[in-house]
Coordinates of all heavy atoms in Angstrom, one line a residue:
M1 N 0.8 -1.2 0.0 CA 0.0 0.0 0.0 C 0.9 1.3 0.0 O 0.5 2.2 -0.6 CB -0.9 0.0 1.2 CG -1.9 1.1 1.2 SD -2.9 1.2 -0.3 CE -4.5 0.9 0.4
Q2 N 2.0 1.2 0.7 CA 2.9 2.4 0.7 C 3.4 2.7 -0.6 O 3.5 3.9 -1.0 CB 4.1 2.1 1.7 CG 5.0 3.3 2.0 CD 4.2 4.4 2.7 OE1 3.2 4.2 3.3 NE2 4.8 5.6 2.6
S3 N 3.7 1.7 -1.4 CA 4.2 2.0 -2.8 C 3.2 2.7 -3.7 O 3.4 3.5 -4.4 CB 4.6 0.6 -3.4 OG 5.0 0.8 -4.7
Y4 N 1.9 2.2 -3.5 CA 0.8 2.8 -4.2 C 0.6 4.2 -3.9 O 0.5 5.1 -4.7 CB -0.5 2.0 -4.0 CG -1.7 2.7 -4.5 CD1 -2.0 2.7 -5.9 CD2 -2.5 3.5 -3.7 CE1 -3.2 3.3 -6.4 CE2 -3.6 4.2 -4.2 CZ -4.0 4.1 -5.5 OH -5.0 4.8 -6.0
K5 N 0.7 4.6 -2.6 CA 0.5 5.9 -2.1 C 1.7 6.8 -2.7 O 1.4 8.0 -3.1 CB 0.5 6.0 -0.6 CG -0.8 5.5 0.0 CD -0.7 5.6 1.5 CE -2.0 5.1 2.2 NZ -2.0 5.2 3.6
K6 N 2.9 6.3 -2.6 CA 4.0 7.1 -3.2 C 3.8 7.4 -4.7 O 4.0 8.5 -5.2 CB 5.3 6.3 -3.0 CG 6.5 7.1 -3.4 CD 7.8 6.3 -3.3 CE 8.2 6.1 -1.9 NZ 9.5 5.4 -1.7
G7 N 3.4 6.3 -5.4 CA 3.1 6.5 -6.8 C 2.1 7.5 -7.1 O 2.2 8.3 -8.0
R8 N 1.0 7.4 -6.4 CA -0.2 8.3 -6.5 C 0.3 9.8 -6.2 O -0.1 10.7 -7.0 CB -1.3 7.9 -5.6 CG -2.5 8.8 -5.7 CD -3.6 8.4 -4.7 NE -3.1 8.6 -3.4 CZ -3.6 8.1 -2.3 NH1 -4.7 7.3 -2.4 NH2 -3.1 8.3 -1.1
R9 N 1.1 9.9 -5.2 CA 1.5 11.3 -4.8 C 2.4 11.9 -6.0 O 2.2 13.0 -6.4 CB 2.4 11.2 -3.6 CG 2.9 12.6 -3.1 CD 3.6 12.5 -1.8 NE 4.9 11.9 -2.0 CZ 5.3 10.8 -1.2 NH1 4.5 10.3 -0.3 NH2 6.5 10.3 -1.5
W10 N 3.2 11.1 -6.6 CA 4.0 11.6 -7.7 C 3.2 11.8 -9.0 O 3.5 12.8 -9.7 CB 5.2 10.7 -7.9 CG 6.3 11.1 -6.9 CD1 6.6 10.3 -5.8 CD2 7.0 12.3 -6.9 NE1 7.5 11.0 -5.1 CE2 7.8 12.2 -5.7 CE3 7.1 13.4 -7.7 CZ2 8.7 13.3 -5.3 CZ3 8.0 14.4 -7.4 CH2 8.8 14.3 -6.2
E11 N 2.2 11.0 -9.2 CA 1.3 11.3 -10.3 C 0.6 12.6 -10.2 O 0.6 13.4 -11.1 CB 0.2 10.2 -10.4 CG 0.7 8.8 -10.8 CD -0.3 7.7 -10.7 OE1 -1.5 8.0 -10.4 OE2 0.1 6.6 -10.9
W12 N 0.2 13.0 -8.9 CA -0.4 14.3 -8.7 C 0.6 15.4 -8.9 O 0.3 16.5 -9.5 CB -1.1 14.4 -7.3 CG -2.4 13.7 -7.3 CD1 -2.7 12.5 -6.8 CD2 -3.6 14.2 -7.8 NE1 -4.0 12.2 -6.9 CE2 -4.6 13.3 -7.6 CE3 -4.0 15.4 -8.5 CZ2 -6.0 13.4 -8.0 CZ3 -5.3 15.5 -8.9 CH2 -6.2 14.6 -8.7
K13 N 1.8 15.2 -8.5 CA 2.8 16.3 -8.6 C 3.1 16.5 -10.1 O 3.3 17.6 -10.5 CB 4.1 15.9 -7.8 CG 3.9 16.0 -6.3 CD 5.2 15.7 -5.6 CE 5.0 15.8 -4.1 NZ 6.2 15.9 -3.3
V14 N 3.3 15.4 -10.8 CA 3.6 15.5 -12.3 C 2.4 16.2 -13.0 O 2.5 17.1 -13.8 CB 3.9 14.2 -12.9 CG1 3.9 14.3 -14.4 CG2 5.2 13.6 -12.4
K15 N 1.1 15.8 -12.6 CA -0.1 16.4 -13.1 C -0.1 17.9 -12.9 O -0.3 18.7 -13.9 CB -1.3 15.8 -12.5 CG -2.6 16.4 -13.0 CD -3.8 15.7 -12.2 CE -5.2 16.1 -12.7 NZ -5.5 17.5 -12.6
K16 N 0.2 18.3 -11.7 CA 0.2 19.8 -11.4 C 1.3 20.5 -12.2 O 1.2 21.7 -12.7 CB 0.4 20.0 -9.9 CG -0.8 19.7 -9.1 CD -0.6 19.9 -7.6 CE -1.8 19.4 -6.9 NZ -1.6 19.5 -5.4
Q17 N 2.5 19.9 -12.4 CA 3.6 20.5 -13.1 C 3.2 20.7 -14.6 O 3.4 21.8 -15.1 CB 4.8 19.6 -13.1 CG 6.0 20.1 -13.8 CD 7.2 19.2 -13.9 OE1 7.1 18.1 -13.3 NE2 8.3 19.6 -14.5
W18 N 2.6 19.7 -15.2 CA 2.2 19.8 -16.6 C 1.1 20.9 -16.7 O 1.0 21.6 -17.7 CB 1.8 18.5 -17.2 CG 3.0 17.6 -17.5 CD1 3.9 17.1 -16.7 CD2 3.3 17.1 -18.8 NE1 4.8 16.4 -17.4 CE2 4.5 16.4 -18.7 CE3 2.7 17.3 -20.1 CZ2 5.1 15.8 -19.8 CZ3 3.3 16.6 -21.2 CH2 4.5 15.9 -21.0
E19 N 0.2 20.9 -15.8 CA -0.9 21.9 -15.8 C -0.3 23.3 -15.7 O -0.8 24.2 -16.4 CB -1.9 21.7 -14.6 CG -2.8 20.5 -14.9 CD -3.7 20.1 -13.7 OE1 -3.3 20.5 -12.5 OE2 -4.7 19.4 -13.9
K20 N 0.7 23.5 -14.9 CA 1.4 24.8 -14.9 C 2.0 25.2 -16.2 O 2.1 26.4 -16.5 CB 2.5 24.8 -13.8 CG 2.0 24.9 -12.4 CD 3.2 24.9 -11.4 CE 2.7 24.9 -10.0 NZ 3.8 24.8 -9.1
E21 N 2.3 24.2 -17.1 CA 2.8 24.5 -18.4 C 1.7 24.6 -19.4 O 2.0 24.6 -20.6 CB 3.8 23.4 -18.7 CG 5.0 23.4 -17.9 CD 6.0 22.2 -18.2 OE1 6.0 21.7 -19.4 OE2 6.7 21.8 -17.3
G22 N 0.5 24.7 -19.0 CA -0.7 24.9 -19.8 C -1.4 23.7 -20.4 O -2.2 23.8 -21.3
F23 N -1.1 22.5 -19.9 CA -1.7 21.3 -20.4 C -3.0 21.1 -19.6 O -3.1 21.5 -18.4 CB -0.8 20.1 -20.2 CG 0.3 20.0 -21.1 CD1 1.5 20.7 -20.9 CD2 0.2 19.3 -22.3 CE1 2.6 20.6 -21.8 CE2 1.3 19.2 -23.2 CZ 2.5 19.9 -22.9
L24 N -4.0 20.5 -20.2 CA -5.2 19.9 -19.5 C -4.8 18.5 -19.3 O -4.4 17.8 -20.2 CB -6.4 20.0 -20.5 CG -7.6 19.3 -20.0 CD1 -8.1 19.9 -18.7 CD2 -8.7 19.3 -21.1
V25 N -4.8 18.1 -18.0 CA -4.3 16.8 -17.6 C -5.3 16.0 -16.9 O -5.9 16.5 -15.9 CB -3.0 16.9 -16.7 CG1 -2.5 15.5 -16.4 CG2 -2.0 17.8 -17.4
Y26 N -5.5 14.8 -17.3 CA -6.4 13.8 -16.6 C -5.6 12.7 -16.0 O -4.7 12.2 -16.6 CB -7.4 13.2 -17.7 CG -8.3 14.2 -18.3 CD1 -8.1 14.7 -19.5 CD2 -9.5 14.5 -17.6 CE1 -8.9 15.6 -20.1 CE2 -10.4 15.5 -18.2 CZ -10.1 16.0 -19.4 OH -10.9 16.9 -20.0
R27 N -6.0 12.4 -14.8 CA -5.3 11.2 -14.1 C -6.2 10.0 -14.3 O -7.3 10.0 -14.0 CB -5.1 11.6 -12.6 CG -4.4 10.5 -11.9 CD -4.1 10.9 -10.4 NE -3.6 9.8 -9.7 CZ -4.3 9.0 -9.0 NH1 -5.6 9.3 -8.8 NH2 -3.8 7.9 -8.4
S28 N -5.5 8.9 -14.7 CA -6.2 7.7 -14.8 C -6.1 6.9 -13.6 O -5.3 5.9 -13.4 CB -5.6 6.9 -16.0 OG -6.2 5.7 -16.2
A29 N -6.9 7.2 -12.6 CA -6.8 6.7 -11.2 C -7.0 5.2 -11.1 O -8.1 4.7 -11.6 CB -7.7 7.4 -10.3
G30 N -6.1 4.5 -10.6 CA -6.3 3.0 -10.3 C -6.3 2.2 -11.6 O -6.6 1.0 -11.5
S31 N -6.0 2.8 -12.7 CA -6.2 2.0 -13.9 C -4.9 1.1 -14.2 O -3.9 1.4 -13.6 CB -6.4 2.9 -15.1 OG -5.2 3.1 -15.9
K32 N -5.1 0.1 -14.9 CA -4.0 -0.8 -15.3 C -3.6 -0.5 -16.8 O -3.0 -1.3 -17.4 CB -4.4 -2.2 -15.1 CG -4.8 -2.6 -13.7 CD -3.6 -2.3 -12.7 CE -4.0 -2.7 -11.3 NZ -3.0 -2.3 -10.4
G33 N -4.0 0.7 -17.2 CA -3.7 1.1 -18.6 C -2.2 1.4 -18.8 O -1.5 1.5 -17.8
A34 N -1.9 1.8 -20.0 CA -0.4 2.1 -20.2 C 0.0 3.4 -19.6 O 1.1 3.6 -19.3 CB -0.2 2.1 -21.8
A35 N -1.0 4.4 -19.5 CA -0.6 5.7 -19.1 C -1.3 6.0 -17.7 O -2.4 5.6 -17.5 CB -1.1 6.7 -20.1
D36 N -0.6 6.7 -16.9 CA -1.1 7.2 -15.6 C -1.8 8.5 -15.8 O -2.8 8.9 -15.1 CB 0.0 7.4 -14.6 CG 0.7 6.1 -14.2 OD1 0.0 5.1 -14.0 OD2 1.9 6.1 -14.2
L37 N -1.3 9.3 -16.8 CA -1.8 10.7 -17.0 C -2.0 10.8 -18.5 O -1.2 10.3 -19.3 CB -0.9 11.8 -16.6 CG -0.5 11.7 -15.1 CD1 0.6 12.7 -14.8 CD2 -1.7 12.0 -14.2
I38 N -3.0 11.6 -18.9 CA -3.3 12.0 -20.3 C -3.3 13.5 -20.3 O -4.1 14.1 -19.6 CB -4.6 11.4 -20.8 CG1 -4.6 9.9 -20.7 CG2 -4.9 11.9 -22.2 CD1 -6.0 9.3 -20.9
A39 N -2.3 14.1 -21.1 CA -2.2 15.5 -21.1 C -2.5 16.0 -22.5 O -2.1 15.4 -23.5 CB -0.8 15.9 -20.7
I40 N -3.2 17.1 -22.6 CA -3.6 17.7 -23.9 C -3.2 19.2 -24.0 O -3.5 19.9 -23.0 CB -5.2 17.5 -24.1 CG1 -5.6 16.1 -24.0 CG2 -5.6 18.1 -25.4 CD1 -7.1 15.9 -23.8
K41 N -2.7 19.6 -25.1 CA -2.4 21.0 -25.3 C -2.2 21.2 -26.8 O -1.5 20.4 -27.5 CB -1.1 21.3 -24.6 CG -0.7 22.8 -24.7 CD 0.6 23.1 -23.9 CE 1.0 24.5 -24.1 NZ 2.2 24.8 -23.3
D42 N -2.8 22.3 -27.3 CA -2.7 22.7 -28.7 C -3.0 21.5 -29.6 O -2.3 21.3 -30.7 CB -1.3 23.2 -29.0 CG -0.9 24.4 -28.2 OD1 -1.9 25.2 -27.8 OD2 0.3 24.6 -27.8
G43 N -4.0 20.7 -29.3 CA -4.5 19.7 -30.2 C -3.6 18.4 -30.1 O -3.8 17.5 -30.9
Q44 N -2.6 18.4 -29.3 CA -1.7 17.2 -29.2 C -2.0 16.5 -27.8 O -2.3 17.1 -26.8 CB -0.2 17.6 -29.2 CG 0.1 18.3 -30.6 CD 1.6 18.7 -30.6 OE1 2.1 19.1 -29.7 NE2 2.1 18.5 -31.8
V45 N -1.9 15.2 -27.9 CA -2.1 14.3 -26.8 C -0.8 13.6 -26.3 O -0.1 13.1 -27.2 CB -3.2 13.3 -27.1 CG1 -3.4 12.4 -25.9 CG2 -4.5 14.0 -27.5
W46 N -0.6 13.6 -25.0 CA 0.6 13.0 -24.4 C 0.2 12.0 -23.5 O -0.7 12.2 -22.6 CB 1.4 14.1 -23.7 CG 1.8 15.2 -24.6 CD1 1.0 16.3 -25.0 CD2 3.1 15.5 -25.2 NE1 1.7 17.1 -25.8 CE2 3.0 16.7 -25.9 CE3 4.3 14.8 -25.1 CZ2 4.0 17.2 -26.6 CZ3 5.3 15.4 -25.8 CH2 5.2 16.5 -26.5
L47 N 0.6 10.7 -23.6 CA 0.4 9.6 -22.6 C 1.6 9.6 -21.7 O 2.7 9.3 -22.2 CB 0.2 8.3 -23.4 CG -1.0 8.3 -24.4 CD1 -1.1 6.9 -25.0 CD2 -2.3 8.7 -23.7
I48 N 1.3 9.7 -20.4 CA 2.4 9.8 -19.5 C 2.4 8.7 -18.5 O 1.4 8.4 -17.8 CB 2.4 11.2 -18.7 CG1 2.3 12.3 -19.7 CG2 3.5 11.3 -17.7 CD1 1.9 13.7 -19.1
Q49 N 3.5 8.0 -18.4 CA 3.7 6.9 -17.3 C 4.6 7.5 -16.3 O 5.7 8.0 -16.6 CB 4.3 5.7 -18.0 CG 4.7 4.6 -17.0 CD 3.5 4.0 -16.3 OE1 3.5 3.9 -15.1 NE2 2.4 3.6 -17.0
V50 N 4.1 7.5 -15.0 CA 4.9 8.1 -13.9 C 5.6 6.9 -13.1 O 4.8 6.0 -12.8 CB 4.1 9.0 -13.0 CG1 4.9 9.5 -11.9 CG2 3.4 10.1 -13.8
Q51 N 6.8 7.0 -12.9 CA 7.5 5.9 -12.2 C 8.3 6.6 -11.0 O 8.7 7.7 -11.1 CB 8.5 5.2 -13.1 CG 7.9 4.4 -14.1 CD 7.1 3.1 -13.6 OE1 6.0 2.9 -14.0 NE2 7.8 2.4 -12.7
V52 N 8.6 5.8 -10.0 CA 9.4 6.3 -8.9 C 10.6 5.4 -8.8 O 10.6 4.2 -8.6 CB 8.6 6.2 -7.5 CG1 9.5 6.6 -6.4 CG2 7.3 7.0 -7.6
N53 N 11.8 6.1 -8.9 CA 13.1 5.5 -8.8 C 13.6 4.5 -9.8 O 14.7 4.0 -9.7 CB 13.3 4.9 -7.4 CG 13.3 5.9 -6.3 OD1 13.8 7.0 -6.5 ND2 12.8 5.5 -5.1
R54 N 12.8 4.2 -10.8 CA 13.3 3.3 -11.9 C 12.5 3.5 -13.1 O 11.3 3.8 -13.1 CB 13.2 1.9 -11.4 CG 11.8 1.4 -11.1 CD 11.9 0.0 -10.5 NE 10.7 -0.3 -9.8 CZ 9.5 -0.6 -10.4 NH1 9.4 -0.5 -11.6 NH2 8.5 -0.9 -9.6
K55 N 13.1 3.3 -14.2 CA 12.4 3.3 -15.5 C 11.5 2.1 -15.6 O 11.9 1.0 -15.0 CB 13.4 3.3 -16.6 CG 12.9 3.6 -18.0 CD 14.0 3.7 -19.0 CE 13.5 4.0 -20.4 NZ 14.6 4.1 -21.4
P56 N 10.3 2.2 -16.2 CA 9.5 1.0 -16.2 C 10.1 -0.2 -17.0 O 11.0 0.1 -17.9 CB 8.2 1.5 -17.0 CG 8.6 2.8 -17.6 CD 9.8 3.3 -16.9
P57 N 9.6 -1.4 -16.8 CA 10.1 -2.5 -17.6 C 9.8 -2.4 -19.1 O 8.9 -1.6 -19.4 CB 9.4 -3.7 -17.0 CG 8.4 -3.2 -16.0 CD 8.6 -1.8 -15.8
Q58 N 10.6 -3.1 -19.9 CA 10.5 -3.0 -21.3 C 9.1 -3.2 -21.8 O 8.6 -2.6 -22.7 CB 11.4 -3.9 -22.0 CG 11.6 -3.7 -23.5 CD 12.0 -2.3 -23.9 OE1 12.9 -1.8 -23.2 NE2 11.5 -1.8 -25.0
Q59 N 8.4 -4.2 -21.2 CA 7.0 -4.6 -21.6 C 6.1 -3.4 -21.4 O 5.2 -3.1 -22.3 CB 6.6 -5.8 -20.8 CG 5.2 -6.2 -21.2 CD 4.7 -7.5 -20.3 OE1 5.4 -7.9 -19.4 NE2 3.6 -8.0 -20.7
K60 N 6.2 -2.6 -20.3 CA 5.4 -1.5 -20.0 C 5.7 -0.4 -21.0 O 4.8 0.3 -21.5 CB 5.6 -1.0 -18.6 CG 4.4 -0.5 -17.9 CD 4.8 -0.3 -16.4 CE 3.5 -0.1 -15.6 NZ 3.7 0.2 -14.2
I61 N 7.0 -0.2 -21.3 CA 7.3 0.9 -22.3 C 6.7 0.5 -23.7 O 6.2 1.4 -24.4 CB 8.9 1.0 -22.4 CG1 9.4 1.6 -21.1 CG2 9.3 1.8 -23.6 CD1 10.9 1.7 -21.0
Q62 N 6.8 -0.8 -24.1 CA 6.3 -1.2 -25.4 C 4.8 -0.9 -25.4 O 4.3 -0.4 -26.4 CB 6.6 -2.7 -25.6 CG 6.0 -3.2 -26.9 CD 6.8 -2.6 -28.1 OE1 8.0 -2.7 -28.1 NE2 6.1 -2.0 -29.0
R63 N 4.1 -1.2 -24.4 CA 2.6 -1.0 -24.3 C 2.3 0.5 -24.5 O 1.4 0.9 -25.2 CB 2.0 -1.5 -23.1 CG 0.5 -1.5 -23.0 CD 0.0 -2.2 -21.8 NE -1.4 -2.0 -21.8 CZ -2.1 -2.0 -20.6 NH1 -1.5 -2.4 -19.5 NH2 -3.4 -1.8 -20.7
L64 N 3.1 1.3 -23.8 CA 2.9 2.8 -23.8 C 3.1 3.3 -25.2 O 2.3 4.1 -25.8 CB 3.8 3.5 -22.8 CG 3.7 5.0 -22.8 CD1 2.3 5.4 -22.2 CD2 4.8 5.6 -21.9
V65 N 4.2 2.9 -25.9 CA 4.5 3.3 -27.2 C 3.5 2.8 -28.2 O 3.0 3.6 -29.1 CB 5.9 2.8 -27.6 CG1 6.2 3.1 -29.1 CG2 7.0 3.6 -26.8
D66 N 3.1 1.6 -28.1 CA 2.1 1.0 -29.0 C 0.8 1.8 -28.9 O 0.1 2.1 -29.9 CB 1.8 -0.4 -28.7 CG 3.0 -1.3 -29.1 OD1 3.8 -0.9 -29.8 OD2 3.0 -2.5 -28.7
E67 N 0.3 2.1 -27.7 CA -1.0 2.9 -27.5 C -0.8 4.3 -28.0 O -1.7 4.8 -28.7 CB -1.4 2.9 -26.0 CG -2.0 1.5 -25.6 CD -2.7 1.6 -24.3 OE1 -3.0 2.6 -23.8 OE2 -2.9 0.5 -23.7
A68 N 0.3 4.9 -27.8 CA 0.5 6.2 -28.3 C 0.5 6.2 -29.8 O -0.1 7.1 -30.5 CB 1.9 6.8 -27.8
L69 N 1.2 5.3 -30.5 CA 1.2 5.2 -31.9 C -0.3 5.0 -32.5 O -0.6 5.5 -33.4 CB 2.1 4.1 -32.4 CG 3.6 4.4 -32.2 CD1 4.4 3.2 -32.6 CD2 4.1 5.6 -33.1
T70 N -1.0 4.1 -31.8 CA -2.3 3.8 -32.2 C -3.2 5.0 -32.2 O -4.0 5.2 -33.1 CB -3.0 2.7 -31.3 OG1 -2.2 1.5 -31.4 CG2 -4.4 2.4 -31.7
Y71 N -3.1 5.9 -31.2 CA -4.0 7.1 -31.1 C -3.3 8.4 -31.5 O -3.9 9.4 -31.3 CB -4.5 7.1 -29.7 CG -5.3 5.9 -29.3 CD1 -4.8 4.9 -28.5 CD2 -6.6 5.7 -29.9 CE1 -5.5 3.7 -28.3 CE2 -7.3 4.6 -29.6 CZ -6.8 3.6 -28.8 OH -7.5 2.4 -28.6
G72 N -2.1 8.4 -32.1 CA -1.5 9.6 -32.5 C -1.0 10.5 -31.4 O -1.0 11.7 -31.5
A73 N -0.7 9.8 -30.3 CA -0.2 10.6 -29.1 C 1.3 10.5 -28.9 O 2.0 9.7 -29.6 CB -0.9 10.0 -27.8
F74 N 1.9 11.3 -28.0 CA 3.3 11.2 -27.7 C 3.5 10.4 -26.4 O 2.8 10.7 -25.4 CB 3.9 12.6 -27.5 CG 3.8 13.4 -28.7 CD1 2.8 14.4 -28.9 CD2 4.8 13.3 -29.7 CE1 2.8 15.2 -30.0 CE2 4.8 14.1 -30.8 CZ 3.7 15.0 -31.0
P75 N 4.3 9.3 -26.4 CA 4.5 8.6 -25.2 C 5.6 9.2 -24.3 O 6.7 9.5 -24.9 CB 5.0 7.2 -25.7 CG 5.6 7.5 -27.1 CD 4.9 8.7 -27.6
V76 N 5.4 9.4 -23.1 CA 6.4 10.0 -22.2 C 6.4 9.2 -20.9 O 5.4 8.7 -20.3 CB 5.9 11.5 -21.8 CG1 6.9 12.1 -20.8 CG2 5.8 12.3 -23.1
V77 N 7.7 9.0 -20.4 CA 7.9 8.4 -19.1 C 8.5 9.5 -18.2 O 9.5 10.2 -18.6 CB 8.8 7.2 -19.1 CG1 9.2 6.7 -17.7 CG2 8.2 6.1 -20.0
V78 N 7.9 9.7 -17.0 CA 8.5 10.6 -16.0 C 8.9 9.8 -14.8 O 8.1 9.1 -14.3 CB 7.5 11.7 -15.6 CG1 8.1 12.6 -14.6 CG2 7.0 12.6 -16.8
V79 N 10.2 9.9 -14.5 CA 10.8 9.1 -13.4 C 11.3 10.1 -12.3 O 12.1 11.0 -12.5 CB 12.0 8.3 -13.9 CG1 12.5 7.4 -12.7 CG2 11.5 7.3 -15.0
W80 N 10.8 9.9 -11.1 CA 11.3 10.6 -9.9 C 12.5 9.8 -9.4 O 12.3 8.6 -9.0 CB 10.2 10.7 -8.8 CG 10.8 11.1 -7.5 CD1 10.9 10.4 -6.3 CD2 11.4 12.4 -7.2 NE1 11.5 11.1 -5.3 CE2 11.9 12.3 -5.8 CE3 11.7 13.5 -7.9 CZ2 12.5 13.4 -5.2 CZ3 12.3 14.6 -7.3 CH2 12.7 14.5 -5.9
D81 N 13.6 10.4 -9.4 CA 14.8 9.8 -8.9 C 15.1 10.4 -7.5 O 15.5 11.5 -7.4 CB 16.0 10.1 -9.8 CG 17.3 9.4 -9.4 OD1 17.5 9.2 -8.2 OD2 18.1 9.1 -10.3
S82 N 14.8 9.6 -6.5 CA 14.9 10.1 -5.1 C 16.4 10.4 -4.7 O 16.6 11.2 -3.8 CB 14.2 9.2 -4.1 OG 14.9 7.9 -4.1
K83 N 17.3 9.7 -5.3 CA 18.7 9.9 -4.9 C 19.2 11.2 -5.5 O 19.9 12.0 -4.8 CB 19.6 8.8 -5.5 CG 19.4 7.4 -4.8 CD 20.3 6.4 -5.3 CE 20.0 5.1 -4.5 NZ 20.8 4.0 -5.0
K84 N 18.8 11.5 -6.7 CA 19.2 12.8 -7.3 C 18.2 13.9 -6.9 O 18.5 15.1 -7.1 CB 19.2 12.7 -8.9 CG 20.2 11.8 -9.4 CD 20.1 11.8 -10.9 CE 21.0 10.8 -11.6 NZ 20.8 10.7 -13.0
R85 N 17.1 13.5 -6.4 CA 16.0 14.4 -6.0 C 15.6 15.3 -7.2 O 15.5 16.5 -7.2 CB 16.4 15.3 -4.8 CG 16.8 14.4 -3.6 CD 16.6 14.9 -2.3 NE 15.4 15.6 -2.0 CZ 14.2 15.1 -1.6 NH1 14.1 13.8 -1.6 NH2 13.2 15.8 -1.3
Q86 N 15.3 14.6 -8.3 CA 14.8 15.3 -9.5 C 13.9 14.4 -10.3 O 13.9 13.2 -10.2 CB 16.0 15.7 -10.4 CG 16.7 14.5 -11.1 CD 17.9 14.9 -11.9 OE1 18.6 15.9 -11.6 NE2 18.2 14.2 -12.9
L87 N 13.1 15.1 -11.2 CA 12.3 14.4 -12.2 C 13.0 14.3 -13.5 O 13.5 15.3 -13.9 CB 11.0 15.2 -12.3 CG 9.9 15.0 -11.3 CD1 8.8 16.0 -11.5 CD2 9.4 13.6 -11.2
D88 N 13.0 13.2 -14.1 CA 13.6 13.0 -15.4 C 12.4 12.7 -16.4 O 11.6 11.8 -16.1 CB 14.6 11.8 -15.4 CG 15.8 12.1 -14.6 OD1 16.3 13.2 -14.6 OD2 16.3 11.1 -14.0
T89 N 12.3 13.5 -17.4 CA 11.2 13.3 -18.4 C 11.8 12.7 -19.7 O 12.8 13.3 -20.2 CB 10.5 14.6 -18.7 OG1 10.0 15.2 -17.5 CG2 9.4 14.5 -19.7
I90 N 11.3 11.6 -20.1 CA 11.8 10.9 -21.3 C 10.7 10.8 -22.3 O 9.7 10.1 -22.1 CB 12.3 9.5 -20.9 CG1 13.3 9.5 -19.7 CG2 12.9 8.8 -22.1 CD1 13.4 8.2 -18.9
L91 N 10.9 11.5 -23.5 CA 10.0 11.4 -24.6 C 10.4 10.2 -25.4 O 11.5 10.1 -25.9 CB 10.0 12.6 -25.4 CG 9.1 12.6 -26.7 CD1 7.7 12.4 -26.3 CD2 9.3 13.9 -27.5
L92 N 9.5 9.2 -25.5 CA 9.9 7.9 -26.2 C 9.5 8.1 -27.6 O 8.7 8.9 -28.1 CB 9.0 6.8 -25.6 CG 9.3 6.5 -24.1 CD1 8.3 5.5 -23.6 CD2 10.7 6.1 -23.8
S93 N 10.1 7.1 -28.4 CA 9.7 7.0 -29.8 C 9.6 5.5 -30.1 O 9.8 4.7 -29.3 CB 10.8 7.7 -30.7 OG 12.0 6.9 -30.7
G94 N 9.2 5.2 -31.3 CA 9.1 3.8 -31.7 C 10.4 3.1 -31.6 O 10.5 1.9 -31.5
D95 N 11.6 3.8 -31.6 CA 12.9 3.2 -31.5 C 13.3 2.8 -30.1 O 14.2 2.1 -29.8 CB 13.9 4.2 -32.0 CG 13.8 4.6 -33.4 OD1 13.2 3.7 -34.2 OD2 14.1 5.7 -33.8
D96 N 12.4 3.2 -29.1 CA 12.7 3.0 -27.7 C 12.2 1.6 -27.2 O 12.3 1.3 -26.1 CB 12.1 4.0 -26.8 CG 12.8 5.4 -27.0 OD1 14.1 5.4 -27.0 OD2 12.1 6.4 -27.3
T97 N 11.7 0.8 -28.1 CA 11.1 -0.5 -27.7 C 12.1 -1.6 -27.9 O 13.1 -1.5 -28.4 CB 9.8 -0.8 -28.5 OG1 10.1 -0.8 -29.9 CG2 8.7 0.2 -28.2

């Protein structure tokens, strides 16, 4: 349960950060989908997977990229690195699978 709470907290932080940058952001609460957040700005859609302390496994990345390609969205992974105390944002492409 502690891991879920930490993940949820970071999803909300990333959501607020993207909203400050002018995106409309929806959180996919409790879903088992490829994206934790869906962000929209200027007619473009971004599917965002939020992770804490590690990049997601290859299978999860593949699913995110596949869904993004299917719907014309941009796949993004945001990783909170607690050692560096920073967020790393990774824009994926079809080559990242």
Side-chain angles (χ1 to χ4, degrees):
M1 185 57 113
Q2 186 65 16
S3 177
Y4 170 78
K5 287 181 181 180
K6 185 186 291 186
R8 181 183 63 196
R9 182 175 70 235
W10 281 103
E11 288 170 10
W12 280 104
K13 288 183 180 196
V14 171
K15 180 182 184 298
K16 288 178 184 178
Q17 178 186 4
W18 281 62
E19 287 173 338
K20 284 181 184 177
E21 295 177 26
F23 286 85
L24 172 63
V25 183
Y26 295 98
R27 182 173 170 265
S28 182
S31 100
K32 299 298 179 191
D36 297 313
L37 304 171
I38 300 167
I40 303 166
K41 182 177 178 181
D42 299 330
Q44 296 180 325
V45 178
W46 304 76
L47 300 182
I48 306 167
Q49 176 61 234
V50 180
Q51 293 290 131
V52 178
N53 289 326
R54 60 184 162 74
K55 195 173 175 181
Q58 189 61 37
Q59 181 180 8
K60 215 171 193 180
I61 290 174
Q62 181 67 52
R63 185 173 176 206
L64 181 65
V65 169
D66 288 348
E67 285 190 17
L69 288 173
T70 298
Y71 298 105
F74 296 100
V76 178
V77 174
V78 177
V79 181
W80 166 247
D81 185 329
S82 62
K83 289 181 182 177
K84 294 180 185 175
R85 306 214 35 90
Q86 70 182 30
L87 281 173
D88 294 322
T89 302
I90 306 161
L91 176 61
L92 302 171
S93 69
D95 299 332
D96 293 309
T97 58

